[in-house]
Amino acid sequence: MRKQSKFHLVIIFLSGVALLFIIAPLAGLMFSSSISQLTETVSDKEVQNSIYLTLSTAFFATVVFSIAGIPLAYILARKEFPGKRIVSGIIDLPVVIPHTAAGIAILGIISRDSLVGKAAGTLGLDFIGNPVGISIAMAFVSVPFLLNAARDGFASVPVRLEKAALNLGASPVRVFFTISLPLAKRNIISGAIMMFARGMSEFGAVVIIAYHPMITPVLIYERFGAFGLKYAQPVAVIFVLVSLLFFIVLRMIAGRKTE
Amino acid sequence: MLDVKNISLDFAGFSLKDISFGVGEGEYFVLLGKSGAGKSLILEIIAGLVNPDKGKVILDGKEITGVPIQKRQVGIVFQDYAIFPHLSVKENICYPLKAKHISREAREKTVNELAGKMGISGLLHRKPATLSGGELQRAALARTLTLKPKILLLDEPLSSLDVELRQDMRNILRKLNKEGQTIIHITHDYEEAVALAGKVGIIHNGEIIQTGTIKEVFHKPKSKFVANLTGVRNFYNAKINSDKKAILENKIEISTLPIVDNTKEGFVFFRSEDVVISCDRIDSSLTNSFKGTILNVIPAVGGVEIVVDAGIIVSAYVTEQSVENLGLTEGKDVWVSFKAVAVRFIGR
């Protein structure tokens, strides 16, 4: 009995250390800047623009690549084909490779000298230093969250319900949009929220594609490099708060919708 | 109407072998077999959910073996109902109509009509999660019927219902069939076959071993398996005279327990093991006693089956010792007796 309670004490202590490890730096950050510094930073046009750019590029990346990624998630959940395990492994690659390397890889594909870059160039579009390029970099590193969640969502829809719908005369397209997709919705939305959050916080891959225009993570890095810790802290605080706010609001909307 | 021809299928650790049967327009066909016999698979092949390795499914003279599920006009009600959990009962029933460009009023009318027939009019706006099994099943049945399928396939529709609901559902199915709906119904329970079937097919280990009317199969089982599955040889058309009397085959009257069934006609059966054979009439609690002549003495596993003509044909199951002691041989006059409590009645 006594031994067990000692064991419990150790567990509680270690849990506390782990929690503190996450909370302490963030809490420290929150109290690092004075209110006047924060209000000054909020009204800084450069900061405002960077936050707007970050949110919009992450949102654009999430919407476009969600739509593009859902069919793949569906196929992975429903069909058996040779090499399926390899494909599943490939999906996770962007999460495990260093993000600067991911940035370099993307740059190789969309740079002005590449095939894609040249094709885009003839349309007058240049990905480098462009919000579209930023979105692509964000999507690359964050799309696995969506794909995995959507695949799990589709896998949890009983095949029998799809067959029942077919039996009721529905075309496969209608079955997908009226049965499979609505029933997998909860997973897809929570995957999309994770993708958005991950994309918004990306630094490594984005900084290689576009230093300018500046998303907030790059701005924080720049202020730190050029002016030091004290100047980077207020921007970091504001961006953390914005991220938290979006994360909580999206979760709440998603929670209400699926009830 | 429907012809299933030489269907074979090898499934993981299981196979269907050369399945053939036909179902006529308006017929109520019951496929009877133990669980794991391949019954559900046959329904899924007819509905197109599973493709057979060999054989054909022909509906109204047209082969539909390769036709996609959604174009077969064959409705299936699954054992687990497969109600769409994210749609209300009404939206579930409407589901097949939504894609058909049918006017809103026509849809409403169909839904209300079917819901009324199934007794679920009060549940239309509920979500499936709040419904009982019996209610879900009615919703599923209504949903399948909206398209007026040429054939209605039912996978064990009564097995998970309690006694009272089962009786209600039997009545619904009977009524549907009377209105002309062709039905294939699979079950492991011979009572369901007795209560509903026009024709039965007995399936065992992936093979159909006998088909025929319910009486043909019960009276002349083609194999020991069929005899065991049906379990009864003493099986008769019956009319209820009063609440404790029944007339069998318009010939003899027997005593029964009080009969609660609303229907006055149906079948009566009792097991061969419950029949006593004696040389003279005996005074006892055996309320039913009839004199007859032994038609046949058939050795069976662990005993002997004695077939007696006592106005109706009665089968009794006795030990070899009794055969010797009583001197039971063909042509001998004996009494057959059985208790009223051994008699079961199933209404039609």
Side-chain angles (χ1 to χ4, degrees):
Chain A
M1 189 66 207
R2 204 156 171 214
K3 226 179 180 176
Q4 206 194 358
S5 67
K6 241 186 207 165
F7 174 65
H8 274 183
L9 278 179
V10 171
I11 288 214
I12 289 167
F13 173 72
L14 287 177
S15 309
V17 169
L19 262 182
L20 203 63
F21 177 67
I22 297 172
I23 293 170
L26 287 175
L29 179 66
M30 289 301 143
F31 297 114
S32 64
S33 313
S34 67
I35 300 288
S36 64
Q37 275 175 314
L38 287 178
T39 47
E40 195 185 318
T41 314
V42 167
S43 50
D44 182 341
K45 266 273 174 263
E46 201 180 15
V47 174
Q48 285 177 0
N49 287 342
S50 82
I51 288 178
Y52 174 74
L53 178 69
T54 314
L55 292 176
S56 55
T57 45
F59 184 75
F60 180 73
T62 305
V63 170
V64 170
F65 283 83
S66 290
I67 294 168
I70 281 172
L72 174 61
Y74 184 72
I75 285 172
L76 284 173
R78 278 289 181 262
K79 307 279 184 231
E80 286 305 322
F81 53 88
K84 182 173 166 179
R85 291 178 64 140
I86 296 173
V87 174
S88 299
I90 289 172
I91 285 176
D92 287 329
L93 269 184
V95 178
V96 296
I97 61 172
H99 285 182
T100 39
I104 298 288
I106 297 166
L107 187 60
I109 286 192
I110 63 172
S111 73
R112 288 162 197 135
D113 307 325
S114 74
L115 219 63
V116 178
K118 277 179 190 158
T122 59
L123 300 173
L125 186 66
D126 185 5
F127 292 125
I128 311 305
N130 183 294
V132 177
I134 297 175
S135 278
I136 290 172
M138 284 175 169
F140 183 81
V141 295
S142 62
V143 81
F145 290 98
L146 175 96
L147 290 175
N148 286 326
R151 182 195 55 204
D152 293 348
F154 284 124
S156 71
V157 178
V159 178
R160 171 151 287 201
L161 292 182
E162 292 173 357
K163 294 212 161 169
L166 287 172
N167 179 256
L168 293 167
S171 64
V173 175
R174 182 157 183 258
V175 172
F176 178 79
F177 282 108
T178 58
I179 306 295
S180 322
L181 198 58
L183 287 173
K185 190 174 70 181
R186 181 188 283 264
N187 289 61
I188 293 172
I189 288 175
S190 84
I193 292 173
M194 283 307 290
M195 182 180 172
F196 178 71
R198 186 67 201 78
M200 183 163 108
S201 54
E202 179 56 22
F203 169 74
V206 174
V207 80
I208 290 188
I209 306 292
Y211 196 86
H212 288 284
M214 235 179 247
I215 60 164
T216 319
V218 177
L219 182 70
I220 295 170
Y221 178 74
E222 196 222 29
R223 295 226 163 159
F224 174 66
F227 310 108
L229 186 61
K230 271 286 152 206
Y231 284 87
Q233 273 167 337
V235 188
V237 171
I238 285 158
F239 191 59
V240 168
L241 288 177
V242 168
S243 306
L244 274 180
L245 185 73
F246 262 80
F247 194 65
I248 291 167
V249 168
L250 284 175
R251 281 257 155 208
M252 273 164 57
I253 292 170
R256 200 179 306 151
K257 259 197 176 161
T258 47
E259 247 168 39
Chain B
M1 163 134 210
L2 178 82
D3 271 305
V4 174
K5 284 195 173 156
N6 312 101
I7 291 284
S8 295
L9 174 65
D10 269 317
F11 221 58
F14 183 82
S15 62
L16 291 177
K17 294 165 214 133
D18 204 26
I19 299 280
S20 295
F21 61 89
V23 179
E25 176 104 49
E27 203 164 76
Y28 201 121
F29 186 84
V30 172
L31 261 178
L32 180 62
K34 290 184 176 165
S35 42
K39 301 175 305 234
S40 298
L41 212 47
I42 294 177
L43 285 197
E44 292 186 356
I45 287 172
I46 296 172
L49 310 188
V50 175
N51 285 320
D53 296 339
K54 263 187 241 156
K56 291 176 182 173
V57 181
I58 295 163
L59 183 63
D60 281 345
K62 273 183 223 141
E63 184 172 347
I64 57 165
T65 326
V67 173
I69 304 173
Q70 65 270 26
K71 296 194 175 140
R72 292 204 175 197
Q73 296 177 286
V74 167
I76 186 166
V77 177
F78 292 101
Q79 194 173 0
D80 59 8
Y81 319 132
I83 286 286
F84 306 132
H86 58 304
L87 303 178
S88 70
V89 171
K90 186 176 175 180
E91 287 165 333
N92 263 282
I93 299 175
C94 258
Y95 187 83
L97 298 175
K98 278 258 171 85
K100 300 269 174 220
H101 309 293
I102 292 166
S103 76
R104 202 190 158 84
E105 294 92 64
R107 282 207 305 257
E108 292 276 332
K109 192 168 162 258
T110 310
V111 169
N112 290 333
E113 211 174 278
L114 283 166
K117 219 164 163 180
M118 298 297 146
I120 51 170
S121 301
L123 305 174
L124 285 177
H125 295 287
R126 297 258 294 271
K127 273 281 166 89
T130 65
L131 264 54
S132 72
E135 291 164 343
L136 287 173
Q137 184 183 39
R138 282 152 194 250
L141 189 55
R143 186 179 69 178
T144 303
L145 289 172
T146 48
L147 284 185
K148 301 193 171 68
K150 286 183 178 167
I151 290 208
L152 177 63
L153 309 176
L154 306 169
D155 192 346
E156 296 272 5
L158 304 172
S159 57
S160 56
L161 303 177
D162 61 39
V163 179
E164 204 175 316
L165 284 175
R166 195 175 299 175
Q167 195 56 48
D168 291 347
M169 190 38 91
R170 271 185 197 168
N171 290 335
I172 288 176
L173 295 179
R174 244 179 234 140
K175 211 172 143 207
L176 271 176
N177 183 235
K178 261 191 198 144
E179 289 166 5
Q181 178 69 56
T182 312
I183 297 177
I184 300 180
H185 168 150
I186 63 175
T187 178
H188 64 275
D189 182 356
Y190 70 90
E191 283 197 35
E192 285 180 26
V194 172
L196 293 163
K199 251 167 96 181
V200 278
I202 311 283
I203 179 166
H204 182 47
N205 281 340
E207 274 180 277
I208 290 198
I209 49 181
Q210 189 170 3
T211 51
T213 66
I214 191 89
K215 282 197 72 179
E216 278 164 9
V217 173
F218 276 57
H219 270 163
K220 296 187 188 121
K222 269 192 190 160
S223 73
K224 187 81 195 156
F225 173 78
V226 180
N228 282 343
L229 185 75
T230 58
V232 281
R233 303 292 297 279
N234 300 310
F235 184 86
Y236 313 96
N237 285 328
K239 274 186 200 139
I240 306 304
N241 241 0
S242 65
D243 76 331
K244 290 180 190 172
K245 296 276 182 216
I247 293 194
L248 308 188
E249 307 287 343
N250 288 325
K251 283 178 185 158
I252 65 167
E253 187 181 70
I254 63 160
S255 303
T256 65
L257 285 183
I259 286 163
V260 283
D261 209 299
N262 297 326
T263 40
K264 291 290 167 220
E265 279 187 51
F267 294 106
V268 145
F269 57 89
F270 46 90
R271 305 188 322 153
S272 306
E273 290 88 330
D274 290 331
V275 178
V276 172
I277 295 223
S278 57
C279 294
D280 302 303
R281 186 179 182 128
I282 42 178
D283 285 331
S284 68
S285 65
L286 299 160
T287 30
N288 296 303
S289 271
F290 304 99
K291 197 171 179 190
T293 313
I294 297 182
L295 285 181
N296 226 334
V297 179
I298 309 159
V301 185
V304 179
E305 188 192 346
I306 309 286
V307 183
V308 179
D309 182 355
I312 52 171
I313 306 293
V314 178
S315 150
Y317 201 55
V318 298
T319 58
E320 282 175 28
Q321 213 178 349
S322 302
V323 174
E324 258 176 52
N325 289 350
L326 299 175
L328 302 179
T329 52
E330 283 171 26
K332 186 179 168 77
D333 285 346
V334 291
W335 286 81
V336 288
S337 313
F338 48 92
K339 289 166 123 181
V341 288
V343 175
R344 296 262 289 114
F345 172 76
I346 295 182
R348 295 274 290 189

